[in-house]
Amino acid sequence: MTTTGAIVEEGARGAPSGPWWWARRRAMALDVVLALASALECLLEGVAFAHELGLPGVAGGLVGVPAGAALVLRRRWPVAVVLVSIAITPAEMGFLISVVGLYTLAASEVARRITVVLAAASFAGTVIVALARFHQDVATGTYHPGLWPAVAFSVVMALGVTAPPLLLGLYVGARRRLVESLRERADGLERELSLLAERAEERAEWARNEERTRIAREMHDVVAHRVSLMVVHAAALQAVALKDPEKASRNAALVGDMGRQALTELREMLGVLRTTSSEAASPAPARAAAEPERLAAVAAVAAARVRGAAGEAAGDAVDGGPSLEGLEHLVDQSREAGMVVELTVHGDQRSYAPHVEQTAYRVVQEALTNVHKHAPGAKAVVRLAHRSAEVALQVENGPSDGEQPGAGLPSGGNGLVGMRERVTALGGVFVSGPTDAGGFRVSAVIPDAAAA
């Protein structure tokens, strides 16, 4: 159930549907019937009591009817109803209002000390009236009952009048409070479940967005560099086709190999994204729950292609992904495409955590790809510094020489963003920007997680 549905249901339970102070019309009808019965009883008893006192019966009726009708107020003012019943006890009327009033008082939210005081007053009034009536009705000219039988009879009668409604009211009130407490607890749990469901949905959406970003980054890293080199080699092929047929043949074979590899990688990743017929027929919640897993599978395929490309670059299979060992081969690929690249390494060569080396490799790869795109014919310098707790790298290129035509490579503007995301995710520092000489510089410092 949604949060809105829970609020509507809670409002429906708590909002009164009856007039004035009644929660339901059925409760109002019951109180009106009880008040009419009590008013009739008090009318008859009031007339009889007025005749015993030698007063007109109308006087007793004028007192009894309003007193009995006060029972209609029992849910609104239970204390006042009990006080009325106690006040008319000496007139020997109001049995119904006394019983129902005590029951309502005990079942209400009135403080327990007030309930005890009023119940004791009602009990005492009943004992006194019963004792007086006992002596009046039982005593004759020759028989006068003792005090203790009269007291015992009066106490038993008073207990019979006050104890059952009082105990029943206490039980009903406790049960009602327990039910309300359980209902409030259930409503609270329902609200918590709704909040948990909303948070789970938000986490799922966050996970989907993260996986989509990861897929985009991996696909960019896997495909963009290879396709960029294809375009550069194709441009070189066009330039030397007539001058050097042998070199043109080598470039054509290289372009074909790269194109087949790029096509295979795209087909594998898109195949994971394709929804199967069973997934399409599944309910929407199931598809939404399975989407992060499908996205993760795509990212895993992309990472596998990354590892395959890194293995080719390093000359062997690298289980953890691309590493700095393949950096020399990466530079050679750009040299084969006609770029002048200088690689300098500072410090003793050492190994880092796999994801640190993979990130450093990707930064250099993307920086060289950007040189192919935006500065054809420019010289590039790749600097790598091995340090005790971090690896620093810099790729700087000069301005384009203006003589070599550009390959016309499109730019999506995601390369620098992806590099920055990778480096900052590892707690590193990434800086990029133009140089004073008119070129461009990319710098990154990545801490070694294994050393930390």
Side-chain angles (χ1 to χ4, degrees):
M1 181 181 295
T2 62
T3 305
T4 305
I7 294 175
V8 170
E9 183 176 349
E10 181 180 356
R13 282 199 295 256
S17 59
W20 295 310
W21 56 85
W22 285 286
R24 295 181 298 274
R25 295 185 180 275
R26 184 175 59 182
M28 181 189 69
L30 175 62
D31 289 353
V32 170
V33 171
L34 289 176
L36 291 176
S38 177
L40 180 60
E41 176 201 357
C42 292
L43 172 63
L44 299 177
E45 293 172 345
V47 171
F49 184 75
H51 288 163
E52 290 181 4
L53 296 179
L55 298 175
V58 177
L62 292 176
V63 174
V65 171
L71 192 58
V72 76
L73 305 174
R74 69 185 186 97
R75 298 179 192 269
R76 180 63 173 169
W77 294 292
V79 174
V81 172
V82 175
L83 289 175
V84 170
S85 68
I86 295 174
I88 62 176
T89 298
E92 300 180 13
M93 59 181 179
F95 173 78
L96 184 60
I97 189 176
S98 176
V99 172
V100 177
L102 284 175
Y103 164 79
T104 306
L105 179 67
S108 66
E109 300 298 329
V110 177
R112 286 289 167 257
R113 61 179 181 274
I114 298 177
T115 302
V116 171
V117 170
L118 293 179
S122 178
F123 175 80
T126 305
V127 168
I128 294 173
V129 173
L131 186 62
R133 177 58 68 177
F134 182 83
H135 279 285
Q136 181 179 353
D137 294 343
V138 176
T140 61
T142 58
Y143 175 71
H144 296 279
L147 178 62
W148 289 113
V151 172
F153 173 80
S154 302
V155 170
V156 170
M157 183 176 179
L159 286 175
V161 173
T162 58
L166 187 65
L167 296 177
L168 181 60
L170 291 174
Y171 167 75
V172 171
R175 183 175 178 275
R176 181 186 302 148
R177 286 187 290 272
L178 176 61
V179 171
E180 291 177 355
S181 175
L182 294 176
R183 181 179 299 166
E184 291 176 358
R185 186 176 301 177
D187 292 340
L189 291 175
E190 187 176 356
R191 286 191 293 269
E192 290 180 4
L193 289 176
S194 299
L195 292 176
L196 289 176
E198 292 177 359
R199 291 177 182 175
E201 186 176 354
E202 292 175 358
R203 286 195 296 269
E205 182 65 25
W206 176 84
R208 286 193 291 268
N209 293 334
E210 286 294 316
E211 290 300 334
R212 288 192 183 100
T213 303
R214 181 184 171 191
I215 291 169
R217 186 167 56 241
E218 294 293 346
M219 292 183 68
H220 182 274
D221 291 340
V222 172
V223 180
H225 181 70
R226 194 182 300 277
V227 174
S228 299
L229 291 179
M230 286 174 55
V231 175
V232 172
H233 280 291
L237 174 62
Q238 184 180 7
V240 302
L242 299 178
K243 300 178 182 180
D244 192 348
E246 184 178 353
K247 184 176 181 180
S249 178
R250 290 197 304 269
N251 286 345
L254 185 59
V255 169
D257 291 339
M258 289 183 176
R260 283 187 291 271
Q261 292 172 2
L263 185 61
T264 301
E265 293 164 358
L266 284 174
R267 184 180 293 113
E268 290 182 1
M269 284 182 279
L270 294 177
V272 178
L273 278 176
R274 186 177 296 111
T275 304
T276 61
S277 58
S278 59
E279 290 174 340
S282 61
R287 293 198 302 271
E291 185 175 357
E293 286 76 5
R294 293 201 306 273
L295 295 174
V298 176
V301 171
R305 300 309 303 174
V306 170
R307 290 194 294 271
E312 295 174 3
D316 57 354
V318 181
D319 295 335
S323 64
L324 294 177
E325 294 179 1
L327 203 58
E328 182 68 33
H329 186 80
L330 180 65
V331 171
D332 289 339
Q333 288 181 343
S334 294
R335 288 170 179 165
E336 291 176 0
M339 180 189 298
V340 179
V341 185
E342 177 184 345
L343 174 63
T344 59
V345 180
H346 302 278
D348 298 332
Q349 184 174 358
R350 57 184 298 269
S351 60
Y352 303 91
H355 54 278
V356 172
E357 294 203 12
Q358 179 180 354
T359 299
Y361 181 94
R362 286 302 173 197
V363 170
V364 175
Q365 183 187 56
E366 180 60 29
L368 292 178
T369 302
N370 287 339
V371 176
H372 284 293
K373 291 181 180 180
H374 307 294
K379 178 182 178 180
V381 178
V382 179
R383 300 182 181 90
L384 176 67
H386 294 283
R387 301 173 182 174
S388 59
E390 61 186 15
V391 57
L393 50 96
Q394 183 182 88
V395 180
E396 181 178 352
N397 65 274
S400 176
D401 57 9
E403 298 180 358
Q404 182 173 342
L409 292 169
S411 177
N414 296 320
L416 294 176
V417 175
M419 286 190 284
R420 185 181 303 276
E421 289 177 351
R422 286 181 177 274
V423 173
T424 56
L426 299 180
V429 178
F430 178 83
V431 179
S432 63
T435 62
D436 296 335
F440 199 84
R441 181 187 297 118
V442 172
S443 303
V445 179
I446 308 173
D448 186 13

